[in-house]
Amino acid sequence: MVDSPAGSPMEGKPEVGRSAARLVVALPKGRLLDEALDSLTRAGYGLNAGENGRRLVVPSSDARVSYILAKPADVPVYVENGAADLGIVGLDVLRESQRDVLEPLQLPFGHCRLVVAGPALRSERPLRLEPNPRVATKFPVLTEAFFRQRGISAEIIQLSGSVELAPLVDLADLIVDLVQTGRTLRDNGLVELRIILESQAMLIANRAAWRLKATGMAAFVSALRDSVNPLQAIQESSGMGR
């Protein structure tokens, strides 16, 4: 590590992407973060003990990687624009963002599904019989595409939270939202009608960095793959996977 000269513009600022060899990885704050950090620790790219998650730029314990902690929706933006070489994000967020990034690895956590849901009393009515349904969602791009592909002219109502509330106060006829267990839907008298997308965590990569930092990127992806698929790694190392 090269220290910044006293009085320089970089003095005291976090070092992000200042080394051609060091990888910059964007991580999502929220529901995916703990499992992402566990996987990275098993892969040998963990954080120093004592990091409390308050800093937004954090080095790995051996300083090979700088981690950026960002809102989930911002992770694909950082990666596509080269502010981060790699990122971990849910497939739902990635497909909604429509960002141009590589997807080198699926990660076995963060499983959920993006569904159309509605009041239980209308669950048997086909969606095609809804002439112009009002649909509340935090995923307007995926929702509009789902209904358009079925010839349904839906009015999309974009919300930023508590989407289940919309049918209860007659703001919307249907909702599109992420579901893990379905308990929140049931508690609010809603039922799943269609699955739009099965989602899980993904490792994504910047296209240019994939070539320019090929050695470091390949080592990172390989270690992370082995950490989340230990049985496959053992089989490959022993020749059993050939």
Side-chain angles (χ1 to χ4, degrees), residues 96 114-117 127 130-160 163 166 171-177 196:
E96 177 71 16
L114 185 69
V115 305
V116 181
L127 288 178
E130 297 280 359
N132 299 104
R134 299 168 298 159
V135 185
T137 185
K138 290 179 282 188
F139 298 86
V141 174
L142 294 175
T143 299
E144 192 278 334
F146 174 83
F147 283 98
R148 175 169 39 82
Q149 290 166 4
R150 286 154 182 78
I152 301 172
S153 177
E155 177 187 350
I156 309 300
I157 302 171
Q158 186 170 355
L159 297 178
S160 58
V163 175
L171 176 64
D173 304 304
L174 304 168
I175 67 169
V176 169
D177 201 11
I196 296 179

Side-chain angles (χ1 to χ4, degrees), residues 9 22 30 53 69 74 85 92 104 126 145 161 172 178-180 189-190 202-203 209 213 215 218 240:
R22 183 184 301 168
L69 300 182
D74 292 339
D85 304 309
D92 50 292
L178 288 178
V179 173
Q180 287 182 299
L190 303 172
M202 302 286 295
L203 180 70
K213 296 184 177 181
T215 300
M240 294 173 61

Side-chain angles (χ1 to χ4, degrees), residues 27-105:
L27 300 178
K29 292 187 287 187
R31 66 182 181 90
L32 297 182
L33 183 59
D34 287 346
E35 288 182 283
L37 290 175
D38 287 346
S39 298
L40 292 167
T41 298
R42 292 196 302 273
Y45 290 89
L47 303 180
N48 282 320
E51 285 292 346
N52 56 17
R54 293 178 183 270
R55 292 200 296 164
L56 299 179
V57 179
V58 184
S60 63
S61 57
D62 59 4
R64 287 180 294 170
V65 174
S66 288
Y67 292 111
I68 298 173
L69 300 182
K71 289 182 62 175
D74 292 339
V75 169
V77 180
Y78 283 108
V79 175
E80 182 189 46
N81 290 283
D85 304 309
L86 295 159
I88 292 177
V89 66
L91 183 62
D92 50 292
V93 172
L94 181 60
R95 293 290 180 265
E96 177 71 16
S97 73
Q98 299 188 315
R99 296 289 175 173
D100 182 21
V101 296
L102 299 175
E103 301 172 20
L105 185 62

